[in-house]
Amino acid sequence: MAGPVSGDTEAQCAGDTSSKRGGWKTFPFMMVTLLGMSITSFGWVMNLIVFLIEEFNIKNITAAKISNIVNGCLSMLPVVAAVLADSFFGNIVVILASTFISLTGIILLTLIASLDLLKPRPCETGSILCQSSSELQLGILYTALVLVTIGAGGTRFTLASAGANQYEKPKEQGSFFNWYFLTLYAGAITGATAIVYTQDNASWKLGFGLCAAANLVSFIVFVCGKRLFKHERPMGSPFKSLISVVVAATVKRKAVISSKEEDYHRGPGERDKTSAALPSKSYRFLNRAALKTEDDLNHKDGNSVNNIWTLCSVQEVEDFKAILRLVPLWVAIIFVSTPMVTQTSLMVLQALVTDRGLGPHFKVPAGSLQVIVMTSASVFIIMNNWLVYPMYQKLTHKRLTPLQKVGIGQVLTILSMVVSAVVEAKRLETVENKGHLMSVLWLFPPLVIVGIGEAFQFPGNIELFYGEFPESLRNTATSLTSLVIGISFYLSTALIDLIQKTTKWLPNDINSGRVDNVYWVLVVVGVLNFGYFLVCSWFYNYRNLEGDSELDPNDVST
């Protein structure tokens, strides 16, 4: 792990007057905040369906639909939070507000679990007639769910960009992202095991109460660390400048592109920077947005820009091009995440028809298999940080680039699909020939491989987008991983529906189906997508990685 950042590397962002802010001294505040919020969010969301059924007498399918809506919002809301942070408030303010909103919501859930008047009477034993929730009770419940969902969505990936903003060097930011995912997984594992166990075996009141305590600690710790953080203050909406590039280039679509530096507009702050004087040759159509014409100049002083919708700076054009260059890679990441989500769903179905008993008194919950993935990912994030990456650096004198990490993750994901197909074929053979259930332990190897892949892929994704997006859009950049997960859930549902309509591989009883064939389809999709990813990676040129991929002889840490 990289050591503390020296004072000269802790450069200040716009509007930040203290030279003592940022660096590794902010690390414990960020990690404790993330850990507490992860325990809180996973603690209530992992058992939400059971809570709705047991405490509010909601029907199974309805409870599942509510859970799906909540999980979809949890994946999409980080993008909304990122836009607010980038355009209006800054990430520190968004995180403070979100942790407080989450605290309010989880306290309300705790009160609901504690007070009988806030929920319907339990169903009588053996009776199918249960009291329905009143409109007031449902209103309070949905209010609590909205608050905790907003709170979780507003902090999960905004914390990633806020933490990375405290460091200057890409290698330190990459190291932070490794720790970010390790802490996120640690909180998720704690919430999915300890908190869920407490809810099931002690009481909902105690389970939600522990979540509220974790959230409160997160809020207090973040407030205490606020004076140490660098504050990225937004300079207006960055999306406005991106849209203006398209508008200006379209308006001047008939203009002749020049190769002279003086024919292009540079913003006031760009003249003192090392930014390009001429737009790059890629996407040359957009270069017209920065091309100065007679109509773009204010004739009173001969220099001022009349309208931002007809003339943009070279830097704004290059920022827009940077986003366009990342779109093909983002699509490749979506198409590798979709099989991962599909595999997770199928694994639960497989677990339900296996022998889940481990010893005489313990039975593995089918829905808890995701803990294997989280644990594996956590272990290998540590191994990558302290063993794999340093060893690679010593052997090659280079650091793994973000795209190389993502590529390794994709290969491991494909491998996990192959192993899943083989295991499922073995399971079907066991059912047909021997008539007994296969042990759930056979499902562990592919899940472990998925976790190892995530240890490479997810930190690599965030490191790539954070490092390559314009500085004004870094919160949006880190939220793209969450958006990928959300889109993958919907694409996975569509893929399963398509397979069910066109084949007989996924019946309700998978013992009479061919889930192994589904995995082989996912393997083919993964291989094709990996080929596409390799092509995109081959042609991609980093904006901000040059000079940092070489290993400093005095530093072999990540």
Side-chain angles (χ1 to χ4, degrees):
M1 187 61 62
V5 184
S6 60
D8 60 336
T9 60
E10 293 177 12
Q12 290 308 297
C13 56
D16 214 346
T17 58
S18 174
S19 61
K20 298 180 180 179
R21 294 190 177 192
W24 287 100
K25 60 179 172 289
T26 65
F27 179 80
F29 295 96
M30 291 288 183
M31 291 299 102
V32 172
T33 303
L34 175 62
L35 180 63
M37 290 303 297
S38 298
I39 292 173
T40 301
S41 59
F42 283 93
W44 65 262
V45 79
M46 293 294 286
N47 221 17
L48 178 59
I49 293 177
V50 178
F51 175 69
L52 295 175
I53 294 172
E54 291 186 355
E55 297 297 303
F56 277 82
N57 304 333
I58 294 176
K59 300 298 183 181
N60 293 18
I61 301 301
T62 304
K65 289 180 179 179
I66 294 173
S67 178
N68 286 339
I69 292 172
V70 168
N71 279 287
C73 291
L74 280 174
S75 296
M76 298 301 180
L77 278 176
V79 180
V80 178
V83 171
L84 292 175
D86 284 331
S87 303
F88 304 106
F89 305 111
N91 46 34
I92 302 299
V93 172
V94 169
I95 293 170
L96 275 174
S98 298
T99 50
F100 181 76
I101 291 171
S102 175
L103 179 61
T104 305
I106 198 64
I107 289 175
L108 187 54
L109 273 179
T110 306
L111 289 175
I112 291 172
S114 304
L115 303 177
D116 291 337
L117 61 92
L118 296 180
K119 55 189 176 182
R121 289 196 303 269
C123 297
E124 295 182 7
T125 304
S127 173
I128 60 173
L129 299 177
C130 300
Q131 180 185 14
S132 299
S133 305
S134 67
E135 291 186 1
L136 177 61
Q137 290 169 337
L138 288 176
I140 295 174
L141 170 66
Y142 292 150
T143 299
L145 291 179
V146 167
L147 290 174
V148 290
T149 302
I150 291 174
T155 56
R156 187 167 296 174
F157 285 92
T158 314
L159 272 167
S161 57
N165 286 346
Q166 310 306 312
Y167 312 100
E168 295 296 326
K169 296 181 180 180
K171 66 176 182 180
E172 291 166 345
Q173 293 165 352
S175 178
F176 172 81
F177 289 134
N178 285 332
W179 279 108
Y180 166 84
F181 275 100
L182 175 61
T183 306
L184 179 67
Y185 283 130
I189 292 170
T190 304
T193 55
I195 300 297
V196 170
Y197 181 86
T198 301
Q199 293 165 347
D200 288 344
N201 296 279
S203 67
W204 290 101
K205 176 174 66 176
L206 179 58
F208 288 142
L210 291 175
C211 290
N215 197 325
L216 179 61
V217 171
S218 291
F219 180 71
I220 293 173
V221 169
F222 195 79
V223 170
C224 292
K226 183 174 178 291
R227 61 186 177 84
L228 300 176
F229 300 148
K230 289 181 183 178
H231 294 254
E232 294 285 347
R233 299 180 182 178
M235 309 291 288
S237 174
F239 301 96
K240 185 177 181 180
S241 65
L242 296 178
I243 297 172
S244 68
V245 171
V246 179
V247 174
T250 304
V251 168
K252 294 186 289 190
R253 60 188 178 277
K254 295 182 180 180
V256 179
I257 296 177
S258 172
S259 59
K260 297 179 181 179
E261 178 180 334
E262 60 269 19
D263 290 338
Y264 291 94
H265 172 62
R266 301 183 72 191
E270 295 178 25
R271 303 181 190 279
D272 299 328
K273 295 180 180 180
T274 58
S275 57
L278 283 170
S280 60
K281 294 182 179 180
S282 61
Y283 302 106
R284 292 183 75 242
F285 170 81
L286 297 173
N287 292 354
R288 292 181 174 87
L291 183 66
K292 291 186 287 188
T293 65
E294 290 296 329
D295 294 337
D296 292 323
L297 300 179
N298 185 320
H299 296 289
K300 291 183 179 181
D301 58 20
N303 248 338
S304 301
V305 179
N306 272 330
N307 192 339
I308 64 167
W309 298 106
T310 59
L311 183 63
C312 305
S313 69
V314 173
Q315 187 60 49
E316 288 172 332
V317 172
E318 291 304 305
D319 285 348
F320 187 77
K321 288 181 180 181
I323 295 175
L324 287 182
R325 282 191 286 265
L326 283 168
V327 169
L329 291 167
W330 187 65
V331 172
I333 292 169
I334 289 177
F335 281 109
V336 77
S337 299
T338 300
M340 292 171 64
V341 171
T342 306
Q343 182 184 28
T344 301
S345 301
L346 294 179
M347 282 286 187
V348 174
L349 298 179
Q350 289 175 273
L352 290 172
V353 290
T354 60
D355 179 8
R356 290 179 283 130
L358 296 181
H361 305 295
F362 182 74
K363 190 175 185 179
V364 177
S368 296
L369 287 181
Q370 189 65 17
V371 173
I372 304 298
V373 176
M374 297 179 194
T375 303
S376 172
S378 300
V379 170
F380 272 85
I381 285 175
I382 296 174
M383 290 183 62
N384 287 346
N385 227 27
W386 288 334
L387 180 63
V388 177
Y389 295 158
M391 185 178 297
Y392 177 85
Q393 291 166 9
K394 286 182 179 180
L395 292 174
T396 65
H397 302 288
K398 293 182 180 180
R399 293 184 175 86
L400 278 173
T401 65
L403 284 176
Q404 288 172 334
K405 295 175 184 177
V406 174
I408 293 171
Q410 291 203 18
V411 170
L412 289 169
T413 298
I414 295 171
L415 177 61
S416 72
M417 303 293 175
V418 173
V419 176
S420 292
V422 174
V423 169
E424 175 62 10
K426 175 68 175 177
R427 190 191 68 79
L428 289 174
E429 182 183 342
T430 302
V431 171
E432 291 175 3
N433 298 336
K434 300 181 181 179
H436 65 265
L437 300 178
M438 187 175 72
S439 171
V440 73
L441 293 176
W442 281 92
L443 300 181
F444 283 22
L447 290 170
V448 170
I449 298 173
V450 171
I452 300 172
E454 287 188 7
F456 284 96
Q457 184 164 323
F458 285 165
N461 285 343
I462 285 196
E463 189 178 348
L464 172 68
F465 294 129
Y466 180 88
E468 297 299 293
F469 257 56
E471 290 185 12
S472 57
L473 283 168
R474 281 182 165 174
N475 291 292
T476 302
T478 55
S479 72
L480 287 180
T481 298
S482 178
L483 183 60
V484 163
I485 296 171
I487 294 174
S488 298
F489 272 111
Y490 296 122
L491 289 179
S492 172
T493 302
L495 178 62
I496 291 175
D497 286 342
L498 177 63
I499 292 174
Q500 284 184 316
K501 290 178 180 179
T502 57
T503 72
K504 297 181 179 180
W505 296 345
L506 285 176
N508 289 327
D509 180 11
I510 65 170
N511 284 336
S512 57
R514 291 302 303 268
V515 175
D516 55 329
N517 286 345
V518 178
Y519 282 125
W520 287 119
V521 170
L522 296 179
V523 169
V524 173
V525 172
V527 170
L528 293 175
N529 181 70
F530 182 64
Y532 166 72
F533 172 81
L534 288 178
V535 173
C536 294
S537 301
W538 180 267
F539 289 102
Y540 185 80
N541 292 318
Y542 289 97
R543 298 176 75 203
N544 301 315
L545 201 67
E546 288 83 355
D548 194 75
S549 59
E550 296 296 328
L551 179 61
D552 183 348
N554 297 320
D555 181 17
V556 294
S557 65
T558 60

